[in-house]
Structures are given as structure tokens and as C-alpha cells.
Amino acid sequence: MPTPPLGPEVDPTPRPLPARIPHRGASVVLEPLRTEHAEELWAAAQSPAAEDGWAYLGYGPFADEGAMRRHVAAFAAQHDPMAWAVRPALTGTADGWLTLMEISPADSAIEIGHIWFSPRMQRTLAATEAMFLLMRHAMDDLGYRRLVWKCHALNAPSRAAAARLGFRYEGTLRAIKVIKGRLRDTAQFSILADEWPARREAIAAWLAEGNWDETGRPCASLARAPHAPLPWIAAAG
């Protein structure tokens, strides 16, 4: 009787869990999230442009600093997701957060998510480097085989960021969640271990000091990976 088809054999050794340690880059520092960050995070969120940043998250905007503080305290106490505050060198203040989550050491799979950047941090070098620091930590330091990015299927900026960083679109999970009383489809992307070295080199080259001119603009863009099509653009409208 023929043997049923099976996937390739891999090293089944469970990968390490992330630790609550800081990560330092050239333009940003990631600090394990603490309640003490709440004051600066609240200040960073005080902009009319900040409202849209909460649209696709399951929390926020917060009514006052106390509500932000309670959220940060609860968020900081969790191990999955594990959250870091993002401190760009340009401002010196905590201007956002991001996490490693859905951590599966036995499957060697981990997700980067719960990304919230204040308006003054969005689309900056520090924003890209913050994500890169956790991506590199997961894939290089901890040795995970699969790095996942998920977002609301209608979240065009998040989908564009995933493609820009080199995540491959895997498909859309339909009607999988209810967020703030609305049905959510979730778009899913990934980078695998054999794809990671090329993406690491591309992002590192984009972040390198020599890629930035005297006006603070990159000389070369961090182009979308050719294998990351965006079939959702027409559907998202």
C-alpha cells in the first residue's frame, strides 16, 4: 500500500520563548512595556490624526490617561502577547508599542502584531526598525521557522507594510472575529526561515546610514518582494 504524502522532516526541538529584554537599534529602543510608559504613550496619542490608528485594534481610543494606564498595566502583565514600548531616538519618548504573540515553540511559529504607532512615529525609519528588531530577534536569536503577520482584511496600510517587509500573502480567514461590534475578515501573511535571509539583508540595507540623504529621506526604497502580490486592493476599494 503506498505511503500517504507527508511534509518534509524538520528539527522538532521547541524554540525558546521570548524574554522581556530591551532591543536597541540605531534609531529606536524597544523597552519591555511597563505601566510607567502610560503617561508618555497617552501624550503620544493626543492628536486628531491618532483616531484612525485605533480603527482596526480591539481596544482604544481611550477616554483618558487613566484608561490608557489600566490598559497598559494589563497588557504589560501578559506573556502572550509580549509587548514592548517603542522609544524613537528622535523624540526620546515612548511613542507606540508592538508585540510578539501567538507564540508556539513546538511548531516554531510566532507572530508580530498588536502594532500601534502614534501619528508622529508612523512611516518613519524608527517604525521600520522597531518591527525589524523583533523580526530579527524571533528568526535569528530564537530560531523560529515561521514568522506571521495578520491584520484586518480592510486595513490597507497594514497589508502594504506586510508586503513591503517581505511577508507573503497566504489567504484571508473569513468572518473570523467580531471587533468592536463589527465582523472582521483576517488577512494572513508569513515569512519562512529559508526566505528570511534575503528579507533581513534588504531591510538592513534600507536602514543603513548610507541609504539616507541629508534631508532624511531614503535613497533607495524598500521595495515589495516580488512574491508578495496584493490581490486585495480592488476588493478593499
Side-chain angles (χ1 to χ4, degrees):
M1 194 170 179
T3 303
L6 299 170
E9 291 187 358
V10 296
D11 176 6
T13 306
R15 285 356 185 216
L17 290 168
R20 293 186 186 278
I21 58 174
H23 299 279
R24 183 176 298 275
S27 66
V28 69
V29 176
L30 306 185
E31 301 171 353
L33 187 66
R34 306 186 309 275
T35 307
E36 291 76 12
H37 287 118
E39 182 178 356
E40 292 181 345
L41 290 166
W42 171 252
Q46 300 315 295
S47 163
E51 193 77 13
D52 288 349
W54 305 108
Y56 297 111
L57 292 171
Y59 43 78
F62 301 99
D64 52 40
E65 185 177 341
M68 170 75 88
R69 178 174 293 273
R70 289 188 292 274
H71 172 78
V72 170
F75 208 21
Q78 298 180 59
H79 294 284
D80 189 350
M82 184 175 289
W84 282 263
V86 183
R87 189 179 299 278
L90 192 63
T91 65
T93 57
D95 287 351
W97 62 63
L98 75 175
T99 79
L100 290 174
M101 57 186 285
E102 299 290 334
I103 305 164
S104 181
D107 298 318
S108 189
I110 195 167
E111 179 181 341
I112 181 169
H114 279 287
I115 299 172
W116 177 76
F117 295 156
S118 68
R120 66 190 178 203
M121 189 181 159
Q122 293 169 12
R123 296 178 294 279
T124 64
L125 183 152
T128 298
E129 187 172 32
M131 295 183 286
F132 179 59
L133 289 174
L134 282 194
M135 293 166 67
R136 189 176 63 187
H137 179 56
M139 300 299 276
D140 290 341
D141 300 337
L142 303 179
Y144 277 76
R145 189 164 39 243
R146 172 176 165 82
L147 180 62
V148 175
W149 179 293
K150 295 201 298 279
C151 64
H152 195 301
L154 297 178
N155 187 346
S158 184
R159 299 190 67 144
R164 177 173 170 268
L165 291 168
F167 285 84
R168 294 185 64 168
Y169 175 69
E170 295 183 328
T172 295
L173 307 174
R174 300 182 300 162
I176 193 170
K177 287 187 177 182
V178 175
I179 302 294
K180 298 176 180 174
R182 293 179 179 270
L183 204 59
R184 164 175 159 158
D185 293 348
T186 292
Q188 184 160 300
F189 307 78
S190 69
I191 295 175
L192 302 185
D194 61 346
E195 301 161 348
W196 168 244
R199 296 316 306 159
R200 178 185 58 219
E201 292 173 15
I203 300 169
W206 185 84
L207 291 169
E209 184 178 356
N211 187 45
W212 296 80
D213 64 22
E214 62 277 3
T215 68
R217 297 182 64 84
C219 301
S221 65
L222 181 54
R224 291 191 180 99
H227 56 234
L230 301 177
W232 48 272
I233 292 179

